[in-house]
Every structure is written in structure tokens, then in C-alpha cells.
């Protein structure tokens, strides 16, 4: 088997020595080409190269969720074709690694590599669904190119938090769960749309849902992790279905306290609920429109401001080694 290993040298939880060990372990089982990313978007370019090749059967992404997202977008640059595109394997190297953990892989890079090698020997894989987000035709965002996401996207509050975290990281702060929690509090205090949100969710054949202040789109569950604790925003979300949405129409202090508690105590059977919570399951097509430009994120990567985003849930998009 010929494989391409995409290595993010800035992966927060792996050292250069660990990465060398993992490369040798993988190379012992396959004809491996290892490439270290050198710029933002490099992993996407490498994924695209693999998709266009005639002999690469597997792409291994060693890094965090951002690296995985880039590789996936490269692999699917001409659209999903799970029966012919190279398969994907993920070695977690980031601070959270939601996609890898949601697939059931260990959160340790060495253990995950062992699990991937076992899966290759046993020829075990699964085809997963993914989400696609694009600028909405007829709006000022219609020129925004479509982009795939593996586990979540968000318009509004959660994307604002991610933007704040990225600003702190650019200033030299480490990406920790404590950093995220501090930015959640600061965003809540500064949030201008707490009592009446500007977001409207529209889907074919249904009445629009308006005045949303927070909207999270989930492609799987858990939504994220706080350390080893999984957080279930949309417990029914799955790689085997289309997209789930959880949205809130109010972020008053009592409402935030209630929904934060529900998230922290969420389970695979029970997530956020209440009169200000909207939960929708297995959506293939819908649009989020905002009266004002709002921050937008995909797979934990802040992508700037948007006023309208159209989402598509694709149930069979990519083969993954598990």
C-alpha cells in the first residue's frame, strides 16, 4: 500500500521525537511518504494531490482537528466519491481531537497509531457522513466557496469564543480548556444579542425559526471535550446521518446558567432542552441567515464574519480507517 502522511509540526501534543517514532511505525507496514506542512492550507493541497493521484490508497493526518479539516477538504475538492478516493486515517496531535475521538480512536498518538495499524491489518473501515457549508446564492456571501467540516460548525456565540481563543493564541497563550472557559465568560459579558438573536434558520417545507442568538451544527457526537469529559450538544448526531442543529433564542444570565449546566451534565441520551432551545435532527439542507454579520467557525477554526450560510449534510462522503 502506498500512503501519504501529512504531519503538522505545530501539533500541540506530539514532540519531534514522538513524530519520528510514529513515522517509522507506519513506514514499517506500508510504502510511506511523509510530508511536513509548511503553511496554512498546505494540508489541503496535499490532500488534493492524493485525491488526484493514481496510486495513493491512504492519507494519514497527524495533527489536530484543523489539520484533519484541511486534508478532508483537499481529498473532497471534486466532491465525495468514497468508493474511489483514498481512505483517511487520523493520528490525534491537537489539544482536543474531536474527530478522532468521535471515531473511537485513543486520544494518545502512539496508541492511536497502533489502533490504525491493527485496523489496516484487519481491513476495518467505515464510511462517514460530512457537512458542507457555502455562501448562500443571492446574498452578499454567495461568493464564499463551499467547505467541508467533519464534526461541527457554528454561527454566532460559539464562533465568537473561538475567535477570542485564536487571538489569545496569537499572543502566545497555550490552548487549554481554562483558556476556552475564560473566553466563554468574556464573550457572554460582551455579547450584544443576548436577549434577541439576529439568526433565522430556514429549511424546505418548514416554517423559519427566528431570533436565534446561538446556532451549533453537529455532524457527530460528542460536540466537544472538556479534558476527558465528553460534551453532548446534539446527542442524536451521528456520522451515519445528516446534520443536527442545536440553537438558543435567549442568553440571559439564568438561561446561560441553565444551559451550561445541561451541557456539563449532558449524556449520550440527554442534551440541552427548554423553551429557549431548538433541536433538530438529520437535516440534509438548511440555511442560517443573520441580520448582522456574525463570526463563523468550522471544526474549531474561525473563518471570519458571515451573514448567510447554506448547509448540506452528505451521509456517505469518505472512508475512514477505524
Amino acid at each position: 500500500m502506498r500512503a501519504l502522511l501529512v504531519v503538522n509540526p505545530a501539533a500541540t501534543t506530539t514532540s519531534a521525537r514522538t513524530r519520528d517514532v510514529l513515522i517509522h511505525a507506519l513506514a514499517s507496514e506500508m510504502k510511506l511518504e511523509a510530508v511536513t506542512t509548511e503553511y496554512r492550507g498546505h494540508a489541503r493541497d496535499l490532500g488534493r494531490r492524493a485525491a488526484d493521484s493514481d496510486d495513493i490508497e491512504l492519507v494519514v493526518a497527524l495533527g489536530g482537528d484543523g489539520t484533519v479539516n484541511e486534508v478532508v477538504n483537499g481529498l473532497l475538492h471534486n466532491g465525495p466519491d468514497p468508493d474511489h478516493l483514498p481512505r483517511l486515517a487520523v493520528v490525534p496531535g491537537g489539544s482536543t481531537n474531536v474527530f478522532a475521538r468521535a471515531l473511537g480512536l485513543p486520544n494518545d498518538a502512539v496508541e492511536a497509531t497502533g489502533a490504525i495499524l491493527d485496523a489496516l491489518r484487519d481491513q476495518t473501515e467505515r464510511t462517514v457522513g460530512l457537512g458542507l457549508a457555502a455562501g448562500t446564492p443571492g446574498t452578499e456571501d454567495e461568493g464564499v466557496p463551499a467547505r467541508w467540516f467533519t464534526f461541527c460548525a457554528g454561527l454566532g456565540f460559539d464562533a465568537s469564543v473561538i475567535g477570542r481563543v485564536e487571538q489569545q493564541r496569537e499572543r502566545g497563550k497555550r490552548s487549554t480548556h481554562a483558556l476556552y472557559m475564560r473566553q466563554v465568560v468574556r464573550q457572554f459579558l460582551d455579547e450584544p444579542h443576548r436577549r434577541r438573536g439576529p439568526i433565522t434558520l430556514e429549511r424546505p417545507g418548514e416554517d423559519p425559526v427566528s431570533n436565534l442568538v446561538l446556532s451549533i451544527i453537529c455532524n457527530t457526537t460528542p460536540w466537544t471535550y472538556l479534558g476527558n469529559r465528553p460534551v453532548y450538544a446534539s446527542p442524536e448526531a451521528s456520522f451515519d446521518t445528516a446534520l443536527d442543529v442545536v440553537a438558543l433564542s435567549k442568553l440571559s444570565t439564568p438561561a446561560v446558567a441553565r444551559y451550561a449546566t445541561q451541557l456539563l451534565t449532558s449524556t449520550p441520551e440527554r442534551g440541552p432542552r427548554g423553551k429557549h432551545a431548538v433541536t433538530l435532527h438529520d437535516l440534509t439542507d438548511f440555511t442560517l441567515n443573520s441580520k448582522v454579520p456574525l463570526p463563523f467557525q468550522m471544526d474549531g477554526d474561525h473563518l471570519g464574519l458571515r451573514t448567510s450560510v447554506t448547509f448540506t449534510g452528505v451521509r456517505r462522503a469518505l472512508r475512514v480507517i477505524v
Side-chain angles (χ1 to χ4, degrees), residues 54-66:
D54 295 326
D55 56 352
I56 295 179
E57 301 175 65
L58 174 69
V59 178
V60 184
L62 198 172
D65 289 311

Side-chain angles (χ1 to χ4, degrees), residues 8-16 18-19 22 62-64 91-97 107-110 174-175:
N8 180 0
T12 56
T13 58
T14 57
S15 65
T18 300
R19 291 192 288 272
L22 300 182
L62 198 172
V91 178
S95 58
T96 309
N97 308 305
N107 197 35
D108 177 81
V110 175
R174 290 183 63 250
S175 178

Side-chain angles (χ1 to χ4, degrees), residues 62 82 99 141 186 201-202 208 221 251 260 285 287 290 297 309:
L62 198 172
F99 182 64
D141 289 329
R186 290 172 181 170
L201 186 151
E202 299 179 356
T221 194
L251 280 182
D285 299 281
T287 297
S290 176
Q297 68 87 11
V309 185

Side-chain angles (χ1 to χ4, degrees), residues 9 13 44 61 92-93 112 134 150 180-181 185 230 232 261 284 290 295 300 307 311 313 318:
T13 58
R44 180 199 61 227
T150 63
Y180 274 90
M181 295 308 295
V185 173
Y232 300 91
T261 300
T284 54
S290 176
T307 56
F311 294 88
L318 191 66

Side-chain angles (χ1 to χ4, degrees), residues 19-306:
R19 291 192 288 272
D20 286 342
V21 170
L22 300 182
I23 290 172
H24 285 299
L26 292 167
S28 68
E29 300 289 335
M30 63 193 74
K31 185 178 180 180
L32 185 72
E33 177 188 2
V35 181
T36 299
T37 58
E38 299 177 355
Y39 53 86
R40 189 180 182 93
H42 194 181
R44 180 199 61 227
D45 294 341
L46 293 170
R48 181 171 185 155
R49 193 190 93 192
D52 292 340
S53 74
D54 295 326
D55 56 352
I56 295 179
E57 301 175 65
L58 174 69
V59 178
V60 184
L62 198 172
D65 289 311
T67 301
V68 175
N69 179 279
E70 285 195 12
V71 169
V72 166
N73 274 277
L75 284 171
L76 300 185
H77 75 100
N78 279 329
D81 188 0
D83 294 329
H84 298 97
L85 286 172
R87 293 168 293 170
L88 173 70
V90 179
V91 178
S95 58
T96 309
N97 308 305
V98 178
F99 182 64
R101 294 163 84 175
L103 288 170
L105 290 168
N107 197 35
D108 177 81
V110 175
E111 292 184 10
T113 300
I116 290 168
L117 291 174
D118 288 343
L120 288 169
R121 295 187 193 104
D122 296 337
Q123 298 184 337
T124 58
E125 61 183 55
R126 64 180 293 189
T127 302
V128 300
L130 297 173
L132 183 67
T136 306
T139 71
E140 62 185 63
D141 289 329
E142 66 179 345
V144 177
R147 179 165 170 171
W148 296 90
F149 60 97
T150 63
F151 66 91
C152 84
L155 180 69
F157 185 87
D158 75 309
S160 298
V161 172
I162 288 173
R164 286 175 174 268
V165 170
E166 290 188 0
Q167 288 177 350
Q168 294 299 312
R169 293 186 65 184
E170 289 173 358
R171 295 170 184 166
K173 298 290 182 65
R174 290 183 63 250
S175 178
T176 64
H177 298 295
L179 175 63
Y180 274 90
M181 295 308 295
R182 288 196 299 272
Q183 302 314 312
V184 167
V185 173
R186 290 172 181 170
Q187 180 59 37
F188 170 70
L189 295 175
D190 293 342
E191 176 59 52
H193 308 293
R194 280 192 285 176
R195 298 192 176 275
R196 187 173 180 83
I199 303 170
T200 297
L201 186 151
E202 299 179 356
R203 51 191 170 132
E206 302 288 345
D207 293 334
V209 182
S210 58
N211 301 325
L212 302 174
V213 65
L214 178 153
S215 55
I216 298 171
I217 300 89
C218 295
N219 185 50
T220 187
T221 194
W223 165 51
T224 191
Y225 293 82
L226 291 176
N228 291 322
R229 179 193 291 272
V231 180
Y232 300 91
S234 296
E236 289 187 288
S238 167
F239 287 128
D240 298 320
T241 61
L243 302 173
D244 282 27
V245 176
V246 58
L248 300 179
S249 59
K250 193 173 184 180
L251 280 182
S252 63
T253 301
V256 166
R258 179 168 62 254
Y259 293 123
T261 300
Q262 291 177 357
L263 278 172
L264 292 174
T265 59
S266 59
T267 69
E269 293 77 33
R270 197 167 176 83
R273 58 213 173 270
K275 66 178 182 179
H276 301 299
V278 176
T279 57
L280 301 169
H281 175 58
D282 198 18
L283 303 184
T284 54
D285 299 281
F286 62 96
T287 297
L288 294 178
N289 294 307
S290 176
K291 298 175 183 176
V292 296
L294 291 177
F296 180 57
Q297 68 87 11
M298 295 174 65
D299 287 346
D301 187 12
H302 188 273
L303 299 179
L305 301 178
R306 300 284 190 274

